[in-house]
Amino acid sequence: MFTIEHDFDATVVTLVDEGQEHLNEDVTINAFEDCVTLEQWDPRTDIVHRISLSPAQLRDLTAALNLPEGIYKSKDPTG
């Protein structure tokens, strides 16, 4: 299950882990104009871990999800 909310400066997607198996904490994805952040609370340390991706990293991740194993270099979209 997931939710999508449109805030003033970001689109927020929350991924909820559902099922009968061991469940992980929700993952919140904040899409800003200049970066995308992924956040997940760690119940063992009571800390929210955050990863920030640049637009180029997000494009590479999106492409990588549809490619076979290997090493790739993305083209510069501005040049």
Side-chain angles (χ1 to χ4, degrees), residues 7-77:
D7 290 343
F8 172 71
D9 62 345
T11 296
V12 179
V13 176
T14 302
L15 307 175
V16 179
D17 195 8
E18 295 182 300
Q20 296 180 10
E21 300 294 320
H22 170 72
L23 301 178
N24 290 318
E25 297 299 325
D26 295 352
V27 174
T28 303
I29 303 163
N30 296 286
F32 298 97
E33 184 177 331
D34 60 343
C35 71
V36 172
T37 63
L38 292 84
E39 299 175 343
Q40 186 176 42
W41 176 66
D42 183 348
R44 294 170 295 156
T45 60
D46 196 28
I47 295 174
V48 174
H49 296 279
R50 179 178 297 131
I51 297 172
S52 296
L53 301 174
S54 70
Q57 289 174 311
L58 184 60
R59 281 191 302 276
D60 288 349
L61 174 59
T62 302
L65 294 175
N66 296 311
L67 292 170
E69 183 176 333
I71 299 173
Y72 301 90
K73 181 175 172 93
S74 60
K75 294 180 181 179
D76 182 0

